[in-house]
């Protein structure tokens, strides 16, 4: 679970620090930076598994456009990221090795620079700095932010101890170094010297054998799930050889349903957990009676069909946009392979107001709660949404809301205007003096800015 994100020098962000809850709604008008925030997390996820050129290749925009432009028209030479996470107490790698974690609160810092190796030469991307370490209880600002964070941390957080604890990963004067777990862990210099790394050290930690904390951190970042569902893609049958984890656009939905049914069916439950998905869908859409998946052997494809209460059966090609989006989301939520962090773009698309409010309630209930946190074997689960829907805002509790807008300031030396994305939490009920609005906000601020993009709340 992500508890804090810090971004500087990436797209529209300058010195951003944002704390996240198990359920967080990021609200703001178009072009305010909501998607840029998801892009930053997507880049971190890709850098946990791929080298730099490959990680940036399929991102939105050109690689050079990821670096923040200053007021004088120049471009920043580095992007800096930091994330703090709360991990499950045990990690398992692809080889089935399970390792307990002594510490479940970790902080990861990464700095990416653009640089040419000689005057007038071609620019390339390099890792300038990378560090990962356990968080000490006294340094955990997130755990003090709200009663919910305090309760979750109290039940699930395992903190680093001792003033001189060695980081799991650190950047030295001329090299990167990983350290085996434990206070007396043996250091191991990484075989790429500082200033030449074109991939993160984290991406090279592939098993839990020697470095379980680093592997758990890599897994947490790499496995963040991004959903930006496209109903035109969901309507189509899935190829039999399509991936069986849900793709961001939902285009392999039928294949995922087939895999869930195959992995969870029993003699008593021939549909397996697909039956649970059908039941959950029927609570959102009362007319749904049945959901089944079938394979077209002639064409090697899977498709799914819904049956209504009056006995009519419909294929995915004729289902409404809202039905398809809700089915894809419920499929992810009920998937036994569900990962710990879901980032979901604009859940309101194609869904009417009444059903959207119920869908938000389902998402909120799926997240880690204080009650779930009491059970050590309950896996952590977090949902972060971005939206500009008033319905989503009204269905969201105050502490889960983040307001995004764009603010401008004049650089007195350059006499030029610079703009940055601002993200605020800390909802209050009363109107605030002007000087307090940089960090706290009211419901009226949110309503006005989300609807109009009005920056007069500065």
């Amino acid at each position: 679970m992500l508890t804090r994100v810090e971004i500087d020098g990436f797209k529209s962000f300058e010195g951003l620090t944002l704390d996240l809850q198990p359920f967080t709604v990021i609200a703001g008008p178009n072009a305010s930076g909501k998607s840029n925030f998801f892009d930053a997390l997507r880049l971190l996820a890709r850098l946990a598994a791929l080298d730099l050129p490959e990680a940036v290749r399929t991102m939105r925009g050109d690689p050079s456009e990821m670096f923040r432009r200053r007021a004088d028209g120049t471009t920043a030479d580095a992007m800096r990221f930091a994330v703090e996470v709360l991990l499950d107490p045990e990690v398992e790698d692809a080889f089935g090795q399970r390792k307990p974690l002594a510490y479940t609160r970790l902080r990861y810092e990464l700095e990416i620079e653009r640089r040419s190796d000689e005057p007038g030469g071609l620019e390339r991307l390099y890792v300038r700095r990378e560090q990962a370490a356990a968080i000490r209880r006294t340094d955990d600002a997130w755990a003090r932010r709200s009663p919910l964070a305090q309760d979750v941390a109290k039940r699930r957080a395992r903190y680093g101890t001792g003033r001189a604890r060695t980081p799991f990963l650190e950047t030295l004067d001329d090299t990167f170094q990983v350290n085996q777990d434990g206070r007396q862990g043996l250091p191991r210099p990484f075989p790429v010297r500082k200033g030449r790394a074109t991939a993160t050290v984290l991406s090279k930690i592939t098993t839990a054998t020697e470095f379980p904390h680093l592997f758990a951190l890599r897994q947490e970042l790499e496995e963040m799930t991004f959903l930006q569902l496209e109903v035109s893609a969901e309507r189509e049958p899935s190829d039999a050889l399509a991936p069986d984890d849900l793709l961001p656009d939902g285009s392999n939905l039928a294949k995922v349903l087939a895999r869930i049914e195959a992995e969870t069916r029993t003699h008593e439950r021939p549909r397996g957990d697909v039956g649970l998905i059908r039941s959950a869908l029927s609570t959102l859409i009362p007319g749904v009676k049945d959901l089944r998946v079938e394979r077209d052997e002639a064409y090697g494809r899977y498709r799914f069909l819904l049956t209504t209460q009056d006995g009519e059966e419909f294929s995915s090609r004729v289902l409404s946009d809202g039905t398809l989006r809700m089915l894809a989301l419920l499929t992810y939520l009920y998937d036994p392979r569900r990962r710990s962090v879901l980032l979901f773009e604009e859940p309101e698309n194609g869904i009417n107001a009444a059903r959207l409010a119920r869908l938000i309630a389902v998402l909120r209930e799926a997240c880690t709660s204080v009650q779930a946190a009491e059970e050590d074997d309950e896996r952590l689960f977090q949902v972060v949404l971005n939206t500009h829907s008033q319905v989503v805002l009204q269905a969201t509790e105050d502490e889960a809301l983040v307001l995004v807008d764009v603010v401008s300031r004049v650089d007195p030396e350059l006499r030029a205007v610079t703009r940055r994305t601002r993200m605020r939490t800390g909802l209050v009920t009363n109107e605030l003096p002007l000087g307090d609005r940089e960090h706290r906000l009211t419901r009226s601020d949110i309503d006005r800015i989300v609807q109009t993009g009005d920056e007069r709340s500065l």
Side-chain angles (χ1 to χ4, degrees), residues 89-147:
E90 184 180 74
V91 65
E92 181 178 359
D93 63 22
F95 301 98
Q97 298 180 93
R98 293 187 177 185
K99 294 282 187 177
L101 299 181
Y103 312 106
T104 59
R105 289 290 282 132
L106 269 63
R107 177 179 173 87
Y108 176 64
E109 300 175 5
L110 178 65
E111 188 172 331
I112 304 298
E113 66 175 335
R114 51 184 299 176
R115 188 185 78 234
S116 58
D117 295 328
E118 56 187 38
L122 297 176
E123 286 191 323
R124 292 183 174 85
L125 299 179
Y126 296 98
V127 177
R128 178 188 287 177
R129 180 176 177 273
E130 192 174 8
Q131 178 160 317
I135 298 173
R136 291 192 291 265
R137 186 185 300 273
T138 54
D139 297 333
D140 195 356
W142 173 80
R144 299 188 295 271
R145 177 177 179 263
S146 70

Side-chain angles (χ1 to χ4, degrees), residues 40 72 79 97 113 117 133 141 173-174 195 197 203 230 263-264 269 284 314 316 347 392 430 434 443 448 454:
D72 61 0
M79 301 181 289
Q97 298 180 93
E113 66 175 335
D117 295 328
D173 290 338
D174 59 354
S203 67
E230 298 288 345
E263 290 181 349
T264 61
R269 300 170 63 239
L284 296 173
F314 299 92
S316 58
V392 176
N430 299 320
L434 185 63
R443 280 276 179 179
R448 181 175 66 253
D454 189 356

